[in-house]
Every structure is written in structure tokens, then in C-alpha cells.
Amino acid sequence: MGALRSDDDTWDIATSVGTTAVMVAAARAVETDRPDALINDPYAKMLVAGAGTGVWEMMLDDSMEQKLESIDPETAAIFQRMRGYQAVRTRFFDAYFADAVAAGVRQVVILASGLDSRAYRLDWPAGTTVFEIDQPKVLEYKAATLERNGVQPSARRVAVACDLRQDWPAALRAAGFEPAQPTAWLAEGLLMYLPADAQDRLFGQITDLSAPGSRLAAETAAHQLEERREQMRLRFRSAAEKLGLPQPVDFADLTYNDPDRAELADWLDAHGWSATARSSKEEMTAVGRWVDSPLDDPNADEFSRFVRAHR
């Protein structure tokens, strides 16, 4: 863990972990505007525009890849891959929710929901409730921004303002969650911000709240070589400086690069779930979004895996 995190830290949409939600929304906005878009998020751009984070708005710039290419082709390749990754990840979990509601699940929980707009943009069946858990200021920003633009949820949306390091199961129950009903859970863009023991505790709590018929999807957090992390830190700082952009938030200072982290699919299989995992590279390659980089280490682990499970 880097210097920007502590066990009791908090954030809004323009600071710390909150800013990463803006980055993800910007990537969704860019993908939505592509003629061959994998996803459709009509609300991503408006959520980015009012966030006031500075650096991530650059992802909306159509000429950014060309600018980076002129400075450092390797950084340009990583930047392109990063945007493509977010699109593919979103597509994968959109399909997961479509399958869950097709199977009759009507209770959804999105953990650390950030600027996720699925409660507004997906076609939810009547009677679906979407619980969103996150820091209070993050939830407030999203709801206020979308309401100001006349956007209403397409399901019953319930905001649960609670840090996942606190007693979020109690807060979820108090908000009307029914443990006896099957639930579709999502942990997307979350696990890298938790140490290994907190990840295990989180999925233990989810398991305790999951009735038969429940489903779960998550993006795993892989351990990365510190040399690689430092290399990427220096490249992105250098590129931002040369482009006259604000320095980006340092992911190494926000995330836990924990070598003892459990392999999630194996953990779930051992705790009453039936899980499958697909590497992010496989998924990106299958839909034409993978970009090779000279910086890649052929012996390194996959960046992440997309996991789906059911009980």
C-alpha cells in the first residue's frame, strides 16, 4: 500500500480512490462514442464533465493517443489498452447482469459502485432493486449530477452510504436488503483497493448474505512486479509533464499489491459457490481490444481475471 491510503481514509469523487471512478467513466464515454462500441453508456460523459479531477478528462480527447504516440509509443499503447480494458470489463459484467435477471434474480448489489450507471442505463425487469454501496460523497455526486440532467433510474435504486471496511451488511439490511432472496452481486474495480485479508472477509460476508440461486461477479486483482509498477509510474508522470497535464493519481499509492491474495475462483469454490474465471487478455482479444506493448513481460501473471459464480 502506498502513502495515500490509511485504514480509515475517506474520499469524494475528486480525491484518492474516488478519482479512479472518473477515469473509468471517461473510458466508458470514449467507448460509447466509437462506431464499433462494445457498450452504451449515455451518462458517462456528463459524470466526468462535472467531477473536477483535471487529468482524467484527457481521456475524452480524441487526439490524446496521437499526442502520446509522438512522446512515447509504449505509453500510448498502454493508454489505448487501458481504455479498451474498461470497455471490455463493462461489457462482460453487463452481460452477467442480463443473465442474472433472465434467471429471475430481482435483487442486485453493486459494491463500491463509484460512477457505475447501470441502475440508470440497463433494461431492468419490473420489480428489480439495485443497491449501490459506496462512500457518501461519491453516491451524492452521482445522484445529484444525473438528477440535474433529468436522468432517472431504470430500476428501484437504493443508495447505501457505507465504507466496505465498516459494517456494510448491517447498513445494507437496514436499507431493505432481503437475505432470503437470491442476489446478483458485483465487485468490479474494487479488490485491488483491499488487502488480501479484507478481500477474504468481504466474500465471507457476501456468502453469509447469499440465498440459494444467488450469483456473483468480480474482477480480480493480480500481484504485479514492483519493478513494473515503478516503470509505469515514471512513464505516465513523464507523459503528463510533457503534455502540460496535471499529474495523474498514482495507482501504486492507492492499491494493495498483495502477493498473498487468494485466487478468487478457488476461494469461492471452497466456500459454497461454483465459479469460473476468464483472463482479461482472453476477453479483450476475443472482441478485438487487446493491444500489445513492448513493456509486457511474457512471464508475468495476467493483469486480472473476470470471475462469475453461482450458488
Side-chain angles (χ1 to χ4, degrees), residues 191-202:
L191 301 187
M192 67 283 293
Y193 303 111
L194 298 176
D197 59 341
Q199 174 177 306
D200 292 349
R201 183 165 59 253
L202 175 71

Side-chain angles (χ1 to χ4, degrees), residues 120-248:
Y120 297 83
R121 65 178 178 81
L122 293 188
D123 186 16
W124 299 104
T128 302
T129 299
V130 179
F131 295 92
E132 294 188 348
I133 305 178
D134 211 322
Q135 297 266 349
K137 292 181 179 179
V138 174
L139 292 172
E140 290 167 7
Y141 168 79
K142 177 167 62 178
T145 300
L146 293 176
E147 183 176 359
R148 188 166 59 249
N149 284 276
V151 180
Q152 296 298 319
S154 54
R156 177 173 173 260
R157 174 183 175 269
V158 179
V160 182
C162 186
D163 192 301
L164 290 172
R165 295 165 296 187
Q166 300 169 353
D167 190 0
W168 65 267
L172 185 61
R173 290 192 193 95
F177 176 83
E178 299 181 22
Q181 298 299 317
T183 303
W185 302 88
L186 177 62
E188 177 189 26
L190 166 61
L191 301 187
M192 67 283 293
Y193 303 111
L194 298 176
D197 59 341
Q199 174 177 306
D200 292 349
R201 183 165 59 253
L202 175 71
F203 287 105
Q205 292 168 315
I206 290 172
T207 300
D208 291 342
L209 292 170
S210 295
S214 292
R215 299 184 175 212
L216 185 154
E219 168 199 20
T220 67
H223 178 256
Q224 297 176 315
L225 297 174
E226 288 298 332
E227 181 181 356
R228 164 74 165 170
R229 283 159 63 90
E230 180 62 19
Q231 191 177 38
M232 292 306 304
R233 182 207 311 256
L234 294 176
R235 283 187 174 275
F236 276 101
R237 282 184 176 178
S238 175
E241 182 178 347
K242 291 176 181 177
L243 290 171
L245 296 169
Q247 286 295 320

Side-chain angles (χ1 to χ4, degrees), residues 3-286:
L4 296 181
R5 301 297 310 281
S6 64
D7 290 339
D8 59 353
D9 56 333
T10 60
W11 51 84
D12 58 17
I13 207 62
T15 59
S16 187
V17 175
T19 66
T20 66
V22 183
M23 177 201 72
V24 174
R28 294 199 306 268
V30 170
E31 181 67 23
T32 296
D33 287 344
R34 287 179 60 136
D36 59 347
L38 298 174
I39 63 169
N40 179 35
D41 187 343
Y43 311 125
K45 191 173 291 186
M46 66 178 67
L47 289 168
V48 174
T53 58
V55 67
W56 295 125
E57 282 85 340
M58 74 178 185
M59 295 187 75
L60 301 177
D61 184 351
D62 292 337
S63 65
M64 185 53 62
E65 286 181 18
Q66 185 177 353
K67 292 175 182 177
L68 284 173
E69 181 75 27
S70 67
I71 293 172
D72 182 2
E74 294 177 4
T75 300
I78 295 297
F79 179 78
Q80 184 181 355
R81 184 195 296 177
M82 182 170 64
R83 292 204 305 197
Y85 174 84
Q86 301 298 341
V88 172
R89 185 179 79 172
T90 300
R91 176 182 180 271
F92 184 91
F93 293 123
D94 282 358
Y96 155 74
F97 278 130
D99 290 345
V101 297
V105 178
R106 295 294 181 267
Q107 184 166 250
V108 172
V109 179
I110 302 177
L111 302 160
S113 57
L115 297 185
D116 186 309
S117 63
R118 290 186 175 96
Y120 297 83
R121 65 178 178 81
L122 293 188
D123 186 16
W124 299 104
T128 302
T129 299
V130 179
F131 295 92
E132 294 188 348
I133 305 178
D134 211 322
Q135 297 266 349
K137 292 181 179 179
V138 174
L139 292 172
E140 290 167 7
Y141 168 79
K142 177 167 62 178
T145 300
L146 293 176
E147 183 176 359
R148 188 166 59 249
N149 284 276
V151 180
Q152 296 298 319
S154 54
R156 177 173 173 260
R157 174 183 175 269
V158 179
V160 182
C162 186
D163 192 301
L164 290 172
R165 295 165 296 187
Q166 300 169 353
D167 190 0
W168 65 267
L172 185 61
R173 290 192 193 95
F177 176 83
E178 299 181 22
Q181 298 299 317
T183 303
W185 302 88
L186 177 62
E188 177 189 26
L190 166 61
L191 301 187
M192 67 283 293
Y193 303 111
L194 298 176
D197 59 341
Q199 174 177 306
D200 292 349
R201 183 165 59 253
L202 175 71
F203 287 105
Q205 292 168 315
I206 290 172
T207 300
D208 291 342
L209 292 170
S210 295
S214 292
R215 299 184 175 212
L216 185 154
E219 168 199 20
T220 67
H223 178 256
Q224 297 176 315
L225 297 174
E226 288 298 332
E227 181 181 356
R228 164 74 165 170
R229 283 159 63 90
E230 180 62 19
Q231 191 177 38
M232 292 306 304
R233 182 207 311 256
L234 294 176
R235 283 187 174 275
F236 276 101
R237 282 184 176 178
S238 175
E241 182 178 347
K242 291 176 181 177
L243 290 171
L245 296 169
Q247 286 295 320
V249 173
D250 195 329
F251 284 103
D253 277 340
L254 297 179
T255 58
Y256 291 80
N257 192 37
D258 199 329
D260 299 322
R261 192 181 298 274
E263 183 63 47
L264 181 58
D266 293 343
W267 189 99
L268 291 169
D269 282 338
H271 290 81
W273 298 83
S274 178
T276 59
R278 182 169 171 83
S279 80
S280 57
K281 182 176 181 180
E282 285 180 315
E283 191 70 17
M284 292 176 73
T285 301

